[in-house]
Amino acid sequence: MFRIIAKRQLAEDIIEYTIKAPDVTRHHRPGQFCIIRVASHGERIPLSIADINTEAGTITVVVQIIGHTTQELARLGAGDTILDVVGPLGHPTDIGTPERAVFVGGGVGVPAGNLIIREMKQAGAEVLAIIGFRTRELIIYEEKIRAQADELIVTTDDGSYGYHGLVTEPLQQRLEAGSEYDVVVAVGPVVMMRAVAEVTRPYGIHTIASLNPIMVDGTGMCGACRVLVGGQTKFACVDGPEFDAHQVDFDQLLNRLRIYREQEQQAAQAGPHLCRLEQQISEIQ
Amino acid sequence: MDTKERMKLEPIPMPEADMSERLAGFGEVNRGYSEELAQAEAERCLQCKNPPCRSGCPVDVDIPGFIKLIREGKYTQAGLKIKETNAFPAICGRVCPQERQCQAQCVLAKQGKPINIGYLERFVGDWLISHPPALTERPEPSGYKVAVVGSGPAGLAAAGDLAKRGHQVTIFEALHRPGGVLVYGIPEFRLPNITVDSELEALRQLGVEIRTDVVVGRTLTITDLRDEMGFAAIFLGLGAGTPIFLGIEGENLPGVMSANEFLTRVNLMRAFDEDYDTPVQHGRNVTVIGGGNVAMDSSRVALRLGAETVKLLYRRTRAEMPARVEEVRHAEEEGVIFEFLVSPVRFLADNEGNLAAVECIRMELGEPDESGRRRPLPICGDGSDDCGCWRASESVGATGSAGYEAG
Ligand SMILES: Cc1cc2nc3c(=O)[nH]c(=O)nc-3n(C[C@H](O)[C@H](O)[C@H](O)COP(=O)(O)OP(=O)(O)OC[C@H]3O[C@@H](n4cnc5c(N)ncnc54)[C@H](O)[C@@H]3O)c2cc1C
Ligand code: FES
């Protein structure tokens, strides 16, 4: 059993949880993830780790409430427990020792940047962070990222805040203006990561994407998480989750991500109204 | 009764669930011997002075010894007799390949009527679960702490043996539920998870601690275990978990799965149970590739999830199939269609990018390979035998695990 220490609603349907999981903090490095199971009949879902507090023995995760499992999680608050947290899983981010680094984050991929940028800074890099959201209301982790990065650009698709456009546009402009970077790390929706890879490809900049395929065990046992990288099948949970973005077959990843979409939607529809209602009731209380 | 008379007795078949019941759910197919049936089967044992069956048992169970105790109605003692060398009779009685081990050596095997040692072992294993013996005293503590990594049969057996010697044992398991393949792979209709849980409970009674959600090497390292946590010895029973994909075109299409994923979703994550949230891809036409237990289990799970046809493709012939004979028989009875001497060459997609069909080539058998089985060779390079399937569950063996088949 793992206790929820704190819960914070960051935006609509985006919640930050701080969970006591001392063993996960022990050897955790930026870029690694964990898998949680909320309740006994629930699924195992992979989550990025947004922050870690070794002394308190806590991890922080940011969850978008989209499916049945995350809806169930959303009903829990500080003091409640979840059944399983296992990690850290996967390889840490391998950024080398860059002088100039870029973090590109989109949506719920942004919080992962918190630790990745910290790592870049520790490696001695000057860091540009570009974080993008659909609209102003959905902006999360802006202050945390600002506090770490040397420069921050926030974009919104609808122009309601910051730069009006996609995260790739400021990146493209910098590159065209002659800025040089040693590494770019992209975490976010697949289409965003694919677009970032296409922008950096002509410049030959080492670009890392943190992939988010469907997972089950997270220990390399089932192959649900397989992705095609450089023409070879890799298991994202043990070989990744971060890969050379210029080698990743993003189209295949997108195709595989829709495998359970229909079933997920059915499951989600079975519950959300009740969940929202219960959530509101518990908030009133 | 003299030996001649005993030899005339007919083997007692295992009572099985009705076919309609079998396909309608995940209930156990083999229902187990009653006391009467166990008595009748035990009666057949010749009690050989130098029992060859024993030499066929990898853990040297005193087979005539426990069968004699069954005959005397001393079922608890019979179970404890097995437990002297094998901690899990209820599990091994269900899943060991007896026809290749103890029963193959039985003197009655020559007439095709070996003693059903596995069925008898299961009977006493289940007896111990339903009639738990009074707790025997724990052995004198040795003062040593031992870590066991992995809770599959290897880890559990090691933990049991170590605990019996008085060592303080902690098992570390990566998944949320201990049991390894016994709980994530082997389906309910062959080995109910509750049976595994009972055997785990017996281990806990011996003082073994089980910690789930710990991936050794990630959550805790070997150094942590040895230097910080004070474990004097570490046993690694990690299994052979990694599925090997065939490396052929289209194998990452939606609809193509490793048997490990398919079975894990169904067994560990209980996708067959409506109360659970786990989704699993299943279809009307399912193709399973392989000829081992994993392939039989996948085929039979697919039928139970509602498939209309399940075809099993194996690149050798029936004689080379590594699966337990009973699983092959059950699969066939339930309607799995076997296609021998075929090998998939690619998976074809439909317009939406989902699996549409498996393209195969015909094989023939060549010279024996390292495993002693005749090597399958393609008959023609590009023959296309379109199996017309729209879902395939790719059953693949894993490196290092004896008994089942890659591709
Ligand atoms: C579907 C299926 C059916 C089978 N049927 C039969 C049968 O009928 N008869 C038969 O004889 N054999 C059968 N087999 C083969 C048999 O299951 C294996 O030989 C047996 O499970 C091996 O046991 P093990 O303990 O070595 O490994 P496993 O059962 O694989 O257990 C290993 C355990 O270690 C855990 N682990 C791995 N790495 C770590 C780590 N770093 N830290 C912590 N934990 C870790 C894993 O999560 C797993 O739980 C079958 C296999 C499958 C997949
Ligand atoms: S999630 Fe099962 S192998 Fe990666």
Side-chain angles (χ1 to χ4, degrees):
Chain A
M1 293 284 228
F2 296 80
R3 189 164 298 278
I4 297 171
I5 303 300
K7 173 185 188 179
R8 229 159 42 98
Q9 185 92 34
L10 301 182
E12 195 190 349
D13 287 339
I14 301 179
I15 305 177
E16 180 192 74
Y17 283 102
T18 301
I19 303 168
K20 185 110 180 160
D23 280 345
V24 180
T25 66
R26 215 177 229 265
H27 298 291
H28 176 269
R29 306 287 315 137
Q32 289 182 300
F33 64 100
C34 63
I35 283 188
I36 70 163
R37 197 172 66 114
V38 178
S40 64
H41 51 269
E43 285 193 79
R44 295 167 63 93
I45 55 165
L47 296 172
S48 300
I49 296 178
D51 208 349
I52 206 115
N53 184 331
T54 323
E55 270 146 48
T58 59
I59 61 167
T60 299
V61 292
V62 174
V63 187
Q64 182 158 33
I65 311 306
I66 32 170
H68 193 74
T69 309
T70 48
Q71 283 168 1
E72 223 162 58
L73 180 62
R75 293 195 215 174
L76 303 180
D80 292 333
T81 54
I82 57 178
L83 276 185
D84 301 281
V85 179
V86 59
L89 300 171
H91 287 292
T93 309
D94 182 14
I95 45 162
T97 49
E99 281 175 24
R100 292 165 60 81
V102 185
F103 171 79
V104 185
V108 276
V110 171
N114 188 38
L115 291 178
I116 294 172
I117 296 170
R118 198 179 296 169
E119 184 81 350
M120 289 169 164
K121 291 301 296 176
Q122 269 166 17
E126 185 186 322
V127 181
L128 163 66
I130 308 174
I131 59 176
F133 304 89
R134 276 212 318 277
T135 183
R136 182 185 194 123
E137 278 69 47
L138 296 177
I139 295 175
I140 56 173
Y141 267 56
E142 182 187 0
E143 292 319 313
K144 289 206 175 181
I145 302 289
R146 191 187 306 284
Q148 314 259 13
D150 295 283
E151 189 189 349
L152 172 69
I153 301 172
V154 183
T155 72
T156 49
D157 297 0
D158 63 0
S160 52
Y161 185 84
Y163 180 92
H164 183 174
L166 303 173
V167 281
T168 40
E169 292 165 21
L171 180 64
Q172 176 95 48
Q173 289 156 10
R174 293 295 170 103
L175 292 173
E176 277 169 6
S179 294
E180 287 181 7
Y181 301 104
D182 305 306
V183 67
V184 174
V185 178
V187 189
V190 178
V191 280
M192 181 208 92
M193 294 191 285
R194 181 174 62 187
V196 170
E198 287 324 309
V199 169
T200 60
R201 193 188 301 276
Y203 298 89
I205 302 168
H206 180 38
T207 303
I208 298 170
S210 178
L211 306 188
N212 53 349
I214 293 167
M215 292 190 185
V216 182
D217 57 302
T219 66
M221 178 269 280
C222 78
C225 62
R226 59 199 193 277
V227 290
L228 202 61
V229 183
Q232 281 188 317
T233 295
K234 300 275 183 195
F235 289 2
C237 68
V238 287
D239 300 326
E242 302 187 348
F243 292 100
D244 180 345
H246 295 150
Q247 304 280 325
V248 172
D249 185 335
F250 287 105
D251 293 338
Q252 186 184 88
L253 177 59
L254 280 172
N255 197 31
R256 288 187 58 77
L257 277 171
R258 63 181 180 84
I259 292 177
Y260 291 109
R261 198 157 291 158
E262 221 171 278
Q263 294 184 42
E264 273 289 330
Q265 274 162 1
Q266 279 166 7
Q269 271 160 16
H273 298 298
L274 186 66
C275 292
R276 288 247 172 81
L277 196 68
E278 280 184 0
Q279 203 178 312
Q280 281 165 6
I281 292 171
S282 69
E283 273 165 14
I284 294 166
Q285 287 168 343
Chain B
M1 211 185 286
D2 65 15
T3 304
K4 265 212 182 117
E5 279 175 313
R6 284 192 200 284
M7 286 177 72
K8 283 203 197 112
L9 298 174
E10 283 302 310
I12 306 295
M14 170 60 78
E16 292 176 355
D18 286 345
M19 191 53 75
S20 56
E21 207 183 316
R22 267 160 78 168
L23 291 176
F26 280 74
E28 212 178 351
V29 171
N30 284 354
R31 286 302 160 92
Y33 279 162
S34 61
E35 252 185 276
E36 293 69 38
L37 296 180
Q39 284 290 345
E41 184 63 17
E43 214 44 66
R44 297 176 55 234
C45 176
L46 304 180
Q47 294 288 309
C48 304
K49 286 271 160 339
N50 291 309
C53 54
R54 218 174 145 160
S55 65
C57 173
V59 290
D60 193 31
V61 166
D62 179 358
I63 296 165
F66 94 79
I67 295 182
K68 182 156 176 282
L69 288 164
I70 294 180
R71 246 189 234 172
E72 294 166 3
K74 296 176 181 160
Y75 307 127
T76 301
Q77 276 110 308
L80 296 176
K81 171 66 67 192
I82 298 178
K83 285 210 169 185
E84 283 171 12
T85 59
N86 174 7
F88 310 110
I91 295 171
C92 295
R94 285 174 168 83
V95 300
C96 270
Q98 290 93 1
E99 75 271 5
R100 243 173 274 159
Q101 299 182 353
C102 50
Q103 292 177 194
Q105 305 299 323
C106 175
V107 288
L108 296 175
K110 291 186 199 84
Q111 301 147 33
K113 293 182 193 174
I115 305 294
N116 284 309
I117 301 168
Y119 296 165
L120 290 173
E121 181 183 28
R122 171 190 162 148
F123 170 75
V124 291
D126 287 353
W127 181 273
L128 286 187
I129 291 172
S130 54
H131 303 78
L135 271 188
T136 46
E137 263 183 41
R138 285 202 191 158
E140 192 71 16
S142 68
Y144 288 111
K145 280 172 68 177
V146 181
V148 169
V149 185
S151 64
L156 296 180
D161 286 349
L162 289 160
K164 272 195 261 171
R165 284 173 174 72
H167 305 308
Q168 192 189 326
V169 182
T170 307
I171 299 179
F172 296 94
E173 168 56 48
L175 294 174
H176 59 264
R177 182 169 187 170
V181 166
L182 305 176
V183 296
Y184 79 66
I186 304 181
E188 286 292 299
F189 52 78
R190 203 146 77 78
L191 176 64
N193 281 355
I194 192 161
T195 303
V196 181
D197 288 346
S198 304
E199 301 280 36
L200 290 170
E201 194 43 45
L203 268 190
R204 290 196 180 95
Q205 299 281 349
L206 277 173
V208 173
E209 189 199 345
I210 303 179
R211 287 190 55 192
T212 50
D213 294 330
V214 178
V215 184
V216 171
R218 294 257 183 250
T219 315
L220 297 172
T221 62
I222 295 288
T223 316
D224 292 338
L225 296 177
R226 198 184 48 213
D227 299 347
E228 268 184 52
M229 302 170 77
F231 288 103
I234 299 167
F235 175 90
L236 299 180
L238 308 180
T242 311
I244 301 168
F245 286 85
L246 301 168
I248 61 177
E249 190 185 323
E251 71 182 8
N252 292 346
L253 288 171
V256 185
M257 264 181 288
S258 77
N260 272 7
E261 179 184 352
F262 183 57
L263 293 174
T264 299
R265 285 182 178 277
V266 174
N267 299 320
L268 179 73
M269 306 305 295
R270 321 297 283 179
F272 69 87
D273 186 336
E274 281 186 0
D275 288 343
Y276 284 73
D277 303 336
T278 312
V280 64
Q281 307 176 75
H282 54 86
R284 252 178 303 162
N285 302 301
V286 175
T287 302
V288 174
I289 298 154
N293 290 321
V294 185
M296 301 305 143
D297 286 344
S298 302
S299 309
R300 298 172 67 198
V301 165
L303 281 175
R304 283 162 175 78
L305 289 178
E308 281 162 23
T309 53
V310 176
K311 258 191 206 175
L312 184 142
L313 312 183
Y314 183 50
R315 60 194 179 137
R316 294 182 166 103
T317 68
R318 182 183 293 270
E320 286 81 20
M321 281 208 291
R324 292 178 81 225
V325 170
E326 188 174 54
E327 310 321 326
V328 177
R329 176 169 64 78
H330 282 164
E332 250 179 337
E333 282 168 8
E334 290 170 6
V336 175
I337 302 161
F338 289 36
E339 291 270 359
F340 296 109
L341 291 168
V342 285
S343 189
V345 285
R346 62 181 171 137
F347 297 102
L348 304 170
D350 64 15
N351 292 337
E352 287 166 15
N354 295 317
L355 175 67
V358 191
E359 194 175 283
C360 302
I361 48 168
R362 290 269 161 216
M363 311 292 279
E364 64 185 0
L365 291 184
E367 294 298 306
D369 63 12
E370 320 80 60
S371 69
R373 288 179 300 178
R374 292 176 65 192
R375 192 191 302 273
L377 301 167
I379 289 175
C380 61
D382 64 344
S384 62
D385 177 1
D386 184 347
C387 295
C389 307
W390 67 280
R391 284 283 152 86
S393 159
E394 186 182 358
S395 165
V396 286
T399 35
S401 54
Y404 52 103
E405 176 66 37

Short mmCIF file of all heavy atoms in Angstrom, two decimals, chain B residues 165-194:
data_model
loop_
_atom_site.label_atom_id
_atom_site.label_comp_id
_atom_site.label_asym_id
_atom_site.label_seq_id
_atom_site.Cartn_x
_atom_site.Cartn_y
_atom_site.Cartn_z
N ARG B 165 15.52 -25.06 6.18
CA ARG B 165 16.84 -25.17 6.83
C ARG B 165 17.04 -24.08 7.86
O ARG B 165 18.15 -23.89 8.36
CB ARG B 165 17.94 -25.11 5.78
CG ARG B 165 18.08 -26.40 5.00
CD ARG B 165 19.09 -26.21 3.86
NE ARG B 165 19.35 -27.46 3.17
CZ ARG B 165 18.49 -28.05 2.35
NH1 ARG B 165 17.30 -27.52 2.13
NH2 ARG B 165 18.80 -29.19 1.74
N GLY B 166 16.01 -23.31 8.13
CA GLY B 166 16.11 -22.33 9.20
C GLY B 166 16.57 -20.95 8.78
O GLY B 166 16.77 -20.07 9.62
N HIS B 167 16.76 -20.75 7.47
CA HIS B 167 17.19 -19.41 7.05
C HIS B 167 15.99 -18.47 6.98
O HIS B 167 14.88 -18.89 6.72
CB HIS B 167 17.87 -19.48 5.68
CG HIS B 167 19.01 -20.45 5.63
ND1 HIS B 167 20.04 -20.41 6.54
CD2 HIS B 167 19.28 -21.50 4.82
CE1 HIS B 167 20.91 -21.39 6.28
NE2 HIS B 167 20.46 -22.07 5.24
N GLN B 168 16.29 -17.20 7.23
CA GLN B 168 15.22 -16.21 7.17
C GLN B 168 15.13 -15.70 5.73
O GLN B 168 16.02 -15.01 5.25
CB GLN B 168 15.56 -15.07 8.13
CG GLN B 168 14.41 -14.13 8.39
CD GLN B 168 14.88 -12.91 9.15
OE1 GLN B 168 15.79 -12.99 10.00
NE2 GLN B 168 14.28 -11.77 8.84
N VAL B 169 14.05 -16.07 5.05
CA VAL B 169 13.97 -15.82 3.61
C VAL B 169 13.01 -14.68 3.27
O VAL B 169 11.90 -14.60 3.78
CB VAL B 169 13.48 -17.09 2.88
CG1 VAL B 169 13.42 -16.86 1.37
CG2 VAL B 169 14.36 -18.28 3.20
N THR B 170 13.48 -13.77 2.39
CA THR B 170 12.59 -12.75 1.82
C THR B 170 12.58 -12.92 0.31
O THR B 170 13.65 -13.00 -0.32
CB THR B 170 13.09 -11.33 2.15
OG1 THR B 170 13.29 -11.24 3.55
CG2 THR B 170 12.08 -10.28 1.71
N ILE B 171 11.38 -13.01 -0.27
CA ILE B 171 11.25 -13.10 -1.73
C ILE B 171 10.95 -11.70 -2.26
O ILE B 171 10.10 -10.99 -1.72
CB ILE B 171 10.09 -14.03 -2.14
CG1 ILE B 171 10.34 -15.46 -1.62
CG2 ILE B 171 9.90 -14.03 -3.64
CD1 ILE B 171 9.22 -16.44 -1.97
N PHE B 172 11.67 -11.29 -3.30
CA PHE B 172 11.40 -10.01 -3.96
C PHE B 172 10.81 -10.27 -5.34
O PHE B 172 11.42 -10.98 -6.15
CB PHE B 172 12.69 -9.20 -4.10
CG PHE B 172 13.27 -8.80 -2.77
CD1 PHE B 172 14.25 -9.58 -2.16
CD2 PHE B 172 12.83 -7.65 -2.13
CE1 PHE B 172 14.78 -9.22 -0.93
CE2 PHE B 172 13.36 -7.28 -0.90
CZ PHE B 172 14.33 -8.07 -0.29
N GLU B 173 9.64 -9.73 -5.60
CA GLU B 173 8.96 -9.96 -6.87
C GLU B 173 8.65 -8.63 -7.55
O GLU B 173 8.16 -7.71 -6.92
CB GLU B 173 7.68 -10.76 -6.63
CG GLU B 173 6.71 -10.83 -7.81
CD GLU B 173 7.34 -11.39 -9.09
OE1 GLU B 173 7.99 -12.45 -9.03
OE2 GLU B 173 7.17 -10.75 -10.15
N ALA B 174 8.90 -8.58 -8.86
CA ALA B 174 8.69 -7.33 -9.61
C ALA B 174 7.21 -7.01 -9.79
O ALA B 174 6.81 -5.85 -9.75
CB ALA B 174 9.36 -7.44 -10.98
N LEU B 175 6.41 -8.03 -10.00
CA LEU B 175 4.98 -7.79 -10.26
C LEU B 175 4.23 -7.59 -8.95
O LEU B 175 4.78 -7.76 -7.87
CB LEU B 175 4.40 -8.95 -11.05
CG LEU B 175 4.96 -9.09 -12.47
CD1 LEU B 175 4.45 -10.35 -13.14
CD2 LEU B 175 4.62 -7.87 -13.32
N HIS B 176 2.93 -7.27 -9.07
CA HIS B 176 2.17 -7.00 -7.86
C HIS B 176 1.66 -8.28 -7.21
O HIS B 176 1.13 -8.24 -6.12
CB HIS B 176 1.01 -6.05 -8.16
CG HIS B 176 0.04 -6.56 -9.19
ND1 HIS B 176 0.13 -6.21 -10.51
CD2 HIS B 176 -1.00 -7.41 -9.09
CE1 HIS B 176 -0.85 -6.81 -11.17
NE2 HIS B 176 -1.54 -7.55 -10.34
N ARG B 177 1.80 -9.39 -7.92
CA ARG B 177 1.30 -10.64 -7.38
C ARG B 177 2.36 -11.72 -7.53
O ARG B 177 2.90 -11.91 -8.62
CB ARG B 177 0.04 -11.03 -8.14
CG ARG B 177 -0.60 -12.29 -7.63
CD ARG B 177 -1.98 -12.48 -8.22
NE ARG B 177 -2.59 -13.62 -7.57
CZ ARG B 177 -3.85 -13.96 -7.70
NH1 ARG B 177 -4.64 -13.24 -8.46
NH2 ARG B 177 -4.33 -15.01 -7.07
N PRO B 178 2.68 -12.44 -6.45
CA PRO B 178 3.72 -13.47 -6.57
C PRO B 178 3.22 -14.72 -7.28
O PRO B 178 2.03 -15.01 -7.27
CB PRO B 178 4.07 -13.79 -5.11
CG PRO B 178 2.90 -13.36 -4.30
CD PRO B 178 2.18 -12.29 -5.08
N GLY B 179 4.16 -15.46 -7.88
CA GLY B 179 3.81 -16.71 -8.54
C GLY B 179 4.46 -16.89 -9.91
O GLY B 179 4.47 -17.98 -10.46
N GLY B 180 4.99 -15.80 -10.48
CA GLY B 180 5.63 -15.89 -11.79
C GLY B 180 4.66 -16.45 -12.83
O GLY B 180 3.47 -16.11 -12.82
N VAL B 181 5.18 -17.31 -13.69
CA VAL B 181 4.38 -17.89 -14.76
C VAL B 181 3.12 -18.58 -14.22
O VAL B 181 2.09 -18.64 -14.88
CB VAL B 181 5.23 -18.89 -15.58
CG1 VAL B 181 4.37 -19.75 -16.48
CG2 VAL B 181 6.25 -18.13 -16.42
N LEU B 182 3.21 -19.07 -13.00
CA LEU B 182 2.06 -19.78 -12.43
C LEU B 182 0.84 -18.88 -12.32
O LEU B 182 -0.29 -19.35 -12.41
CB LEU B 182 2.42 -20.33 -11.04
CG LEU B 182 3.64 -21.24 -10.95
CD1 LEU B 182 3.91 -21.62 -9.50
CD2 LEU B 182 3.45 -22.48 -11.80
N VAL B 183 1.06 -17.58 -12.12
CA VAL B 183 -0.10 -16.68 -12.04
C VAL B 183 -0.26 -15.78 -13.26
O VAL B 183 -1.37 -15.40 -13.60
CB VAL B 183 -0.11 -15.80 -10.76
CG1 VAL B 183 -0.25 -16.65 -9.53
CG2 VAL B 183 1.07 -14.89 -10.68
N TYR B 184 0.84 -15.45 -13.95
CA TYR B 184 0.63 -14.57 -15.10
C TYR B 184 0.46 -15.36 -16.40
O TYR B 184 -0.16 -14.87 -17.34
CB TYR B 184 1.70 -13.47 -15.21
CG TYR B 184 3.05 -13.83 -15.79
CD1 TYR B 184 3.18 -14.20 -17.12
CD2 TYR B 184 4.21 -13.74 -15.03
CE1 TYR B 184 4.43 -14.51 -17.66
CE2 TYR B 184 5.45 -14.04 -15.54
CZ TYR B 184 5.55 -14.43 -16.86
OH TYR B 184 6.77 -14.72 -17.39
N GLY B 185 1.00 -16.57 -16.44
CA GLY B 185 0.96 -17.33 -17.69
C GLY B 185 -0.09 -18.41 -17.74
O GLY B 185 -1.01 -18.38 -18.54
N ILE B 186 0.06 -19.39 -16.86
CA ILE B 186 -0.80 -20.57 -16.94
C ILE B 186 -2.24 -20.23 -16.56
O ILE B 186 -2.48 -19.67 -15.49
CB ILE B 186 -0.24 -21.70 -16.03
CG1 ILE B 186 1.21 -22.00 -16.44
CG2 ILE B 186 -1.10 -22.95 -16.14
CD1 ILE B 186 1.88 -23.11 -15.66
N PRO B 187 -3.18 -20.52 -17.44
CA PRO B 187 -4.57 -20.08 -17.21
C PRO B 187 -5.28 -20.81 -16.07
O PRO B 187 -4.91 -21.92 -15.68
CB PRO B 187 -5.28 -20.39 -18.54
CG PRO B 187 -4.20 -20.71 -19.51
CD PRO B 187 -3.01 -21.16 -18.74
N GLU B 188 -6.34 -20.18 -15.61
CA GLU B 188 -7.17 -20.70 -14.53
C GLU B 188 -7.67 -22.12 -14.77
O GLU B 188 -7.77 -22.91 -13.85
CB GLU B 188 -8.41 -19.81 -14.36
CG GLU B 188 -8.15 -18.48 -13.70
CD GLU B 188 -7.76 -18.63 -12.25
OE1 GLU B 188 -8.54 -19.15 -11.43
OE2 GLU B 188 -6.63 -18.23 -11.95
N PHE B 189 -8.01 -22.43 -16.04
CA PHE B 189 -8.63 -23.73 -16.29
C PHE B 189 -7.62 -24.86 -16.17
O PHE B 189 -7.96 -26.02 -16.22
CB PHE B 189 -9.34 -23.76 -17.65
CG PHE B 189 -8.51 -23.32 -18.82
CD1 PHE B 189 -7.57 -24.16 -19.38
CD2 PHE B 189 -8.67 -22.04 -19.36
CE1 PHE B 189 -6.80 -23.75 -20.46
CE2 PHE B 189 -7.91 -21.62 -20.43
CZ PHE B 189 -6.97 -22.48 -20.99
N ARG B 190 -6.36 -24.51 -16.02
CA ARG B 190 -5.33 -25.53 -15.86
C ARG B 190 -4.71 -25.47 -14.46
O ARG B 190 -4.39 -26.50 -13.87
CB ARG B 190 -4.24 -25.29 -16.91
CG ARG B 190 -3.42 -26.49 -17.23
CD ARG B 190 -3.01 -26.48 -18.67
NE ARG B 190 -1.92 -25.57 -18.99
CZ ARG B 190 -0.64 -25.81 -18.73
NH1 ARG B 190 -0.29 -26.92 -18.12
NH2 ARG B 190 0.29 -24.95 -19.09
N LEU B 191 -4.52 -24.28 -13.96
CA LEU B 191 -3.95 -24.10 -12.63
C LEU B 191 -4.60 -22.86 -12.00
O LEU B 191 -4.20 -21.74 -12.29
CB LEU B 191 -2.43 -23.90 -12.72
CG LEU B 191 -1.71 -23.59 -11.41
CD1 LEU B 191 -1.81 -24.75 -10.43
CD2 LEU B 191 -0.24 -23.25 -11.68
N PRO B 192 -5.62 -23.05 -11.17
CA PRO B 192 -6.29 -21.89 -10.58
C PRO B 192 -5.32 -21.07 -9.73
O PRO B 192 -4.51 -21.65 -8.99
CB PRO B 192 -7.38 -22.50 -9.71
CG PRO B 192 -7.54 -23.91 -10.18
CD PRO B 192 -6.21 -24.32 -10.72
N ASN B 193 -5.39 -19.75 -9.83
CA ASN B 193 -4.50 -18.92 -9.03
C ASN B 193 -4.69 -19.17 -7.54
O ASN B 193 -3.78 -18.99 -6.74
CB ASN B 193 -4.73 -17.44 -9.36
CG ASN B 193 -4.04 -17.05 -10.65
OD1 ASN B 193 -3.32 -17.86 -11.25
ND2 ASN B 193 -4.25 -15.84 -11.10
N ILE B 194 -5.88 -19.59 -7.17
CA ILE B 194 -6.15 -19.83 -5.76
C ILE B 194 -5.32 -21.00 -5.23
O ILE B 194 -4.91 -21.02 -4.07
CB ILE B 194 -7.67 -20.02 -5.54
CG1 ILE B 194 -8.02 -19.98 -4.07
CG2 ILE B 194 -8.19 -21.28 -6.17
CD1 ILE B 194 -9.50 -19.70 -3.87
#
